[in-house]
Amino acid sequence: MAFLFLPLLFILFVPSTNAGYWPPSPGYYPSTKFRSMSFYQGYRNLWGPGHQNIDNNGIAIWLDRTSGSGFKSVKPFRSGYFGTSIKLQPGYTAGVITAFYLSNSEAHPGYHDEVDIEFLGTTFGKPYTLQTNVYIRGSGDGKIIGREMKFHLWFDPTKNFHHYAILWSPKEIIFFVDDVPLRRYPRKSVATFPLRPMWVYGSIWDASSWATENGKYKADYKYQPFFGKFTNFKASGCTAYAPRWCRPVSASPFRSGGLTGQQNRAMQWVQSRYLVYNYCKDYKRDHSLTPECWR
């Protein structure tokens, strides 16, 4: 009976053929509600300092055969809006990951939480894949349970800067591109939602074993260096040191959180045209490990 599932899986993995069709307006633009800051106002080098070029507003980081690079927020947060504008490397970038994410891996090694925006490098003539992911308590302990949703974009992310953001509150996680919501991950239980403080990170590194078509194409260093450029940083919310009455920020006009009807329609439009993988619809996975898929 396995052959009956092939058409469904094929639909999940077929590249988007609608590139260039722009989403409808979300009607509300959370990025305009939060102040931009320079790199040094919020971040510091984490690793690969020789592979960074920092100016007052932004940073370029790069990967070559000797090293990649990464940076980390000065403060940990327990909720907030975290955004940056990113421009990616054109050409052959297979095996290369450019990432903007939340994590507490250094505070809880082997038992950490993480919320990812990752750009999966590609080969000539194929689009980048934007992967969103959520890990809860233990993504590094050998029992990795990812919650991946992957998208193609309606524009070429190597041509100009575009704004990518994560809204994390005690109720939900929402991923945005240019203020258009791509994905909403609601809190359905304590076991399936990250609640411990996290820092904000950016990085570029070699993930040849899995990044491009499940590792089929590797990083080729004859095309080095591979750059990721970040600017227009935003990080606003409740730090880990804020008083308990600190109110989590919202991604909509509703102080209680959630999305407006117009934002939801824009998200559904994107998912109907640019979603290329949804972990909840991957029938090869054991969904007893991801109970939010059927609740």
Side-chain angles (χ1 to χ4, degrees):
M1 296 295 290
F3 69 91
L4 294 176
F5 296 113
L6 288 177
L8 294 173
L9 287 174
F10 180 76
I11 290 172
L12 289 173
F13 289 93
V14 169
S16 170
T17 59
N18 295 314
Y21 292 89
W22 289 75
S25 168
Y28 186 81
Y29 301 89
S31 69
T32 66
K33 309 301 178 182
F34 305 106
R35 182 180 302 174
S36 296
M37 60 184 176
S38 68
F39 177 80
Y40 279 125
Q41 284 179 298
Y43 294 90
R44 297 292 184 269
N45 168 69
L46 180 62
W47 61 286
H51 289 65
Q52 299 181 354
N53 183 18
I54 301 169
D55 62 27
N56 186 48
N57 295 313
I59 182 171
I61 56 178
W62 61 90
L63 167 72
D64 61 26
R65 66 176 66 253
T66 65
S67 180
S69 189
F71 56 88
K72 178 183 178 180
S73 65
V74 175
K75 298 176 182 179
F77 294 83
R78 66 173 187 258
S79 66
Y81 175 93
F82 311 100
T84 183
S85 295
I86 302 174
K87 186 177 180 182
L88 300 175
Q89 175 93 354
Y92 186 99
T93 55
V96 178
I97 296 288
T98 307
F100 182 71
Y101 60 104
L102 311 178
S103 178
N104 50 34
S105 59
E106 293 173 278
H108 305 284
Y111 196 65
H112 76 280
D113 309 293
E114 191 167 309
V115 180
D116 296 329
I117 291 176
E118 297 174 306
F119 297 94
L120 311 185
T122 189
T123 58
F124 293 114
K126 294 185 179 180
Y128 269 91
T129 297
L130 186 155
Q131 175 170 278
T132 64
N133 208 347
V134 180
Y135 291 121
I136 296 98
R137 291 181 296 281
S139 62
D141 66 357
K143 299 178 181 178
I144 295 175
I145 303 170
R147 291 165 166 83
E148 305 93 339
M149 288 180 68
K150 301 179 183 180
F151 300 82
H152 288 154
L153 296 167
W154 49 94
F155 54 83
D156 183 345
T158 72
K159 297 293 187 184
N160 296 293
F161 283 93
H162 291 267
H163 199 71
Y164 306 90
I166 298 166
L167 185 288
W168 171 43
S169 80
K171 295 181 178 180
E172 62 194 352
I173 297 166
I174 306 174
F175 299 86
F176 294 89
V177 174
D178 291 337
D179 288 310
V180 176
L182 294 187
R183 172 186 183 182
R184 179 174 179 264
Y185 181 89
R187 175 178 171 178
K188 294 187 177 181
S189 71
V190 171
T192 62
F193 198 84
L195 294 169
R196 298 177 297 179
M198 292 190 277
W199 285 259
V200 191
Y201 294 82
S203 64
I204 190 166
W205 53 290
D206 186 333
S208 290
S209 63
W210 63 271
T212 307
E213 298 186 31
N214 295 317
K216 179 179 179 181
Y217 297 100
K218 315 294 184 184
D220 188 338
Y221 287 100
K222 73 182 179 184
Y223 299 111
Q224 71 175 25
F226 303 101
F227 276 87
K229 298 179 180 180
F230 298 73
T231 190
N232 191 25
F233 291 101
K234 297 173 185 283
S236 183
C238 298
T239 72
Y241 317 117
R244 294 181 63 86
W245 48 258
C246 180
R247 179 185 290 272
V249 299
S250 174
S252 75
F254 310 134
R255 295 189 69 183
S256 59
L259 297 172
T260 67
Q262 191 168 346
Q263 285 177 307
N264 268 308
R265 286 190 291 274
M267 181 173 67
Q268 292 165 7
W269 189 96
V270 169
Q271 291 188 4
S272 70
R273 289 163 173 80
Y274 294 100
L275 178 65
V276 294
Y277 177 83
N278 182 347
Y279 75 106
C280 281
K281 294 185 179 180
D282 185 343
Y283 302 106
K284 295 180 293 184
R285 295 187 56 158
D286 178 2
H287 289 295
S288 67
L289 302 175
T290 55
E292 72 278 2
C293 288
W294 41 266
R295 284 181 179 173

